[in-house]
Every structure is written in structure tokens, then in C-alpha cells.
Amino acid sequence: MMPHDKFSPTFHFPVQIYYEDTDFSGVVYHPNFLKYFERAREHVIGAERLAALWQQQGLGFAVYRSDMLCHEGVEFADVVDVRTRFYFESKYRTVWQQEIWRPNGIKPAVTAHIEMVCMNKARQLCPMTPPLIEELSRHFDQTISL
């Protein structure tokens, strides 16, 4: 992925790794990383905001593209830091750069590039509303206009 100068600040979301998250060897089963990334994105946007957006306006987000690289194992009992940054690609799409860091890690254990699109209840692509863009823009130094 190319560097982007319009990224939000980095958000940190701690995740406790439980035995149920791992395979027989005590290493996290790789699909669980996608769940951790999803939780971190939800934390950035806000569960209440996402629920209200769906219930009141019939809008939600869907993963359009996901690229994930596992650089090293994450183990049972680790408390990892999910680091998340995003930017607006357009009024339809946000791009998320996410990393999972182990305690005292010198590099990320897992990295992901995830593109999300805004859709309505009929599963049709639709633009994010100006209030939603304003709400998400609060994380930036200036309001984003698309």
C-alpha cells in the first residue's frame, strides 16, 4: 500500500487473547485477526453510531477488499494492541490500515489493508451522508469535504 497523507491519527484497541482464539498449538487461528480488526474499527466509529445509522437511515458498511499479512504468531495470554488508521477514499469508501502488535514487539505481528464501502439495506452502494462524514472527520485536524 502506498503511504497516504490524509490518514487519521492512530487509534489503539487492546485485545486479550484467550485460549479459545487459538489452535491446538496456542497460536491465534488466523481468521480471528479479522474479528479483532473489525472490533477496532467499530471502536473508532462507535457501536451506538453504527446502530443508529442502520436503524434510522438504513446505512451500513461492508468490507469491499481485505488484504492481511501474518508476520509472526500471536499467542494465548498475549494482550495485543490493535492499531488503526483510516482515510476517506471517496464519499462511498473508507480505507483502513490496521496492525496488531504483541507486547514489546519491534514490528507488527499482523498487518491489514481493508476497504469499506457504504451500503443501504438493499445492499446497494450509496454515499455516506454529510453528518456521517462530519462525525468521522472529528478524528482529523480539519473537516474532510468530499
Side-chain angles (χ1 to χ4, degrees), residues 110-122:
V110 183
T111 56
H113 172 90
I114 298 171
E115 298 178 25
M116 305 288 294
V117 293
C118 187
M119 301 183 80
N120 61 24
K121 287 187 177 185

Side-chain angles (χ1 to χ4, degrees), residues 71-86:
H71 305 283
E72 66 179 47
V74 174
E75 299 176 355
F76 167 63
D78 280 346
V79 177
V80 296
D81 180 24
V82 181
R83 300 177 186 178
T84 301
R85 301 183 316 152
F86 74 97

Side-chain angles (χ1 to χ4, degrees), residues 45-104:
I45 298 171
E48 299 84 16
R49 180 72 180 122
L50 287 168
L53 187 65
W54 184 252
Q55 293 164 358
Q56 298 168 8
Q57 299 176 40
L59 296 177
F61 292 97
V63 172
Y64 170 73
R65 178 180 177 178
S66 176
D67 295 313
M68 183 176 75
L69 295 170
C70 298
H71 305 283
E72 66 179 47
V74 174
E75 299 176 355
F76 167 63
D78 280 346
V79 177
V80 296
D81 180 24
V82 181
R83 300 177 186 178
T84 301
R85 301 183 316 152
F86 74 97
Y87 67 89
F88 295 94
E89 178 71 22
S90 71
K91 62 185 176 180
Y92 299 92
R93 186 183 325 193
T94 55
V95 176
W96 301 77
Q97 179 180 325
Q98 296 185 276
E99 302 173 337
I100 293 176
W101 285 76
R102 293 187 71 197
N104 303 314

Side-chain angles (χ1 to χ4, degrees), residues 13-24:
F13 182 71
V15 173
Q16 170 71 54
I17 305 301
Y18 295 100
Y19 190 74
E20 68 184 20
D21 297 324
T22 66
D23 60 18
F24 70 94

